[in-house]
Amino acid sequence: MDLGQRRWPPEPDEGELKLLTEVARSRLWTDGPWTAEVERRMERLTGAPHAVAFNSCTSALHAALHAMGCVRGTRVAVPALTFAGTATGAAHIGADLVFADVRPDTLTLGTDVPDTELVLAVDLHGVPHELDRTRVAGRPVLTDACQSIGSTLDGRHVGATGTHAWSFSSAKLIAAPDGGAVTTDDAGIAGRLRELRDYGVPAGESRSNGAVVWAGGHNWRPTELTMAMVAHRLERLDRWAARARQVAARVHRSLDRAGLWRQSAGGAARPAWHKIRFGAPGWDRGRTDEIERSLNEAGIPTHRWGLVPLHRHPAFGGGPDKVTGSGGLPVTEAVAAGTVCLGTEAAPPMTWNDDEVAQVCRILETMAGS
Ligand SMILES: Cc1ncc(COP(=O)(O)O)c(C=O)c1O
């Protein structure tokens, strides 16, 4: 069993290489048919009426915040247990980030969201958050859906309502050399996003300095090479999502038998599990460290994701002495320190074959009570 070798992203097949060669030869490297094709496919996949493609999810989130009216000083609620990219755009804009704790089961925002002007929720590890996707207590919601492509809620792919940012970076289910998209049910937001990703110039205008209408605009356009790859790979999403679900179901059973803690999803959700996160009961840090050591010695890699929660990070206004609220964020802090993710980003559990999954499960189950 060699679970340390790179297996993800999948190697381009001959058809994909031929397609990429054609795109390169076309010399139409941005603003072309493949950008439009990804937008059409993301609309079809999510059921959202509008999609705008970007060169990463980080830039998609940044632009979406601008398009939703976020300016310097806007108070934005965000879970502290997430990747920096969730908050990068908000930090650039100068928003006032208000970090929130996560639920102890799904690790997504609970309904007690801090009182802010905007809510930036995260579908962590593919688990859809259970807040309303458009508004929470009258406040607009932006969802960081970087990890939840392929996930469904109430039998439908996430993203039909509200505004969602997606990632096509190489560790994601649709993996390309970076890339992202925003889907939205708001035509005004979609229109502003098209301008924002193109230096702040309205569609159809030439890119002259005089045409810039947004100071917050940027060059956030995706390349046609990436978009051709994304469009091609979206055709295989169902297969990859099914495999991620199948492997997670098997591993989750073993983690449950072993009496370990694991992330779970609400009853209406069917995540395409992006990560399998687990730990010792009660997120006991020392015991989780021991479990991790034993797994690694048995040749099963693990990784620590979100070990430094954002409210503890000086780049986001936090730090060891600046924990929000007198009690800190107890779930975030305990989960960050006392849980691990199975496999690596280059060889996630969904890339393991059935024998390897069975072997990992056997080893996990022998840990019960050990
Ligand atoms: C939760 C989360 N948010 C944001 C990002 C940033 O996405 P990208 O790498 O496409 O900019 C990622 C992944 O890298 C992520 O996992």
Side-chain angles (χ1 to χ4, degrees), residues 56-58 82-83 85-86 144 146-147 167 169 172 305:
S56 74
C57 184
T58 303
T82 187
F83 176 59
T86 303
D144 175 345
C146 275
Q147 300 187 346
S167 173
S169 66
K172 304 300 188 300
W305 192 97

Side-chain angles (χ1 to χ4, degrees), residues 76-159:
V76 179
V78 64
L81 187 68
T82 187
F83 176 59
T86 303
T88 299
H92 275 258
I93 291 170
D96 184 3
L97 290 166
V98 181
F99 293 107
D101 212 352
V102 291
R103 291 168 44 144
D105 46 3
T106 59
L107 306 184
T108 57
L109 280 181
T111 47
D112 52 341
V113 183
D115 187 17
T116 53
E117 294 154 88
L118 246 160
V119 177
L120 174 43
V122 179
D123 290 338
L124 196 79
H125 307 335
V127 175
H129 69 75
E130 290 173 52
L131 301 173
D132 187 292
R133 299 226 154 212
T134 49
R135 297 189 95 75
V136 171
R139 294 162 292 158
V141 176
L142 167 61
T143 297
D144 175 345
C146 275
Q147 300 187 346
S148 59
I149 198 157
S151 295
T152 66
L153 197 53
D154 292 318
R156 294 180 67 186
H157 196 285
V158 288

Side-chain angles (χ1 to χ4, degrees), residues 46 126 149 173 175 177 183 201 208 251 267 272 276 281:
T46 60
I149 198 157
L173 213 49
T183 54
V201 172
S208 64
V251 173
I276 299 178

Side-chain angles (χ1 to χ4, degrees), residues 133-365:
R133 299 226 154 212
T134 49
R135 297 189 95 75
V136 171
R139 294 162 292 158
V141 176
L142 167 61
T143 297
D144 175 345
C146 275
Q147 300 187 346
S148 59
I149 198 157
S151 295
T152 66
L153 197 53
D154 292 318
R156 294 180 67 186
H157 196 285
V158 288
T161 58
T163 301
H164 292 70
W166 308 91
S167 173
F168 310 125
S169 66
S170 52
K172 304 300 188 300
L173 213 49
I174 297 299
D178 280 319
V182 177
T183 54
T184 181
D185 59 2
D186 184 321
I189 290 176
R192 292 192 285 282
L193 288 169
R194 291 193 181 282
E195 298 172 354
L196 282 159
R197 80 167 169 193
D198 206 8
Y199 311 94
V201 172
E205 297 275 337
S206 71
R207 289 185 188 116
S208 64
N209 293 350
V212 172
V213 293
W214 283 88
H218 214 291
N219 176 3
W220 281 321
R221 290 169 298 161
T223 75
E224 282 285 286
L225 285 155
T226 285
M227 291 292 108
M229 218 161 156
V230 170
H232 187 253
R233 290 179 177 217
L234 277 168
E235 287 170 15
R236 281 179 281 172
L237 174 62
D238 285 350
R239 214 173 70 205
W240 285 323
R243 182 64 185 164
R245 269 189 202 108
Q246 188 188 26
V247 173
R250 176 77 185 81
V251 173
H252 282 165
R253 258 198 319 276
S254 293
L255 291 167
D256 293 346
R257 281 186 197 137
L260 297 171
W261 176 89
R262 66 165 172 92
Q263 184 187 11
S264 56
R270 285 189 76 222
W273 290 90
H274 176 62
K275 291 190 189 292
I276 299 178
R277 189 171 193 121
F278 70 101
W283 308 310
D284 180 311
R285 188 178 187 160
R287 179 76 188 108
T288 295
D289 288 348
E290 279 169 30
I291 292 169
E292 183 173 43
R293 247 191 323 273
S294 310
L295 288 173
N296 297 167
E297 278 163 16
I300 303 168
T302 49
H303 65 286
R304 298 276 178 145
W305 192 97
L307 186 59
V308 181
L310 297 191
H311 70 298
R312 290 271 182 194
H313 200 298
F316 297 97
D321 307 323
K322 289 177 81 182
V323 176
T324 316
S326 53
L329 302 179
V331 177
T332 295
E333 288 172 22
V335 167
T339 66
V340 296
C341 297
L342 204 53
T344 65
E345 296 213 322
M350 62 169 284
T351 63
W352 302 346
N353 66 34
D354 288 344
D355 285 347
E356 290 167 337
V357 172
Q359 249 180 290
V360 171
C361 287
R362 249 193 321 275
I363 291 169
L364 283 170
E365 288 182 32

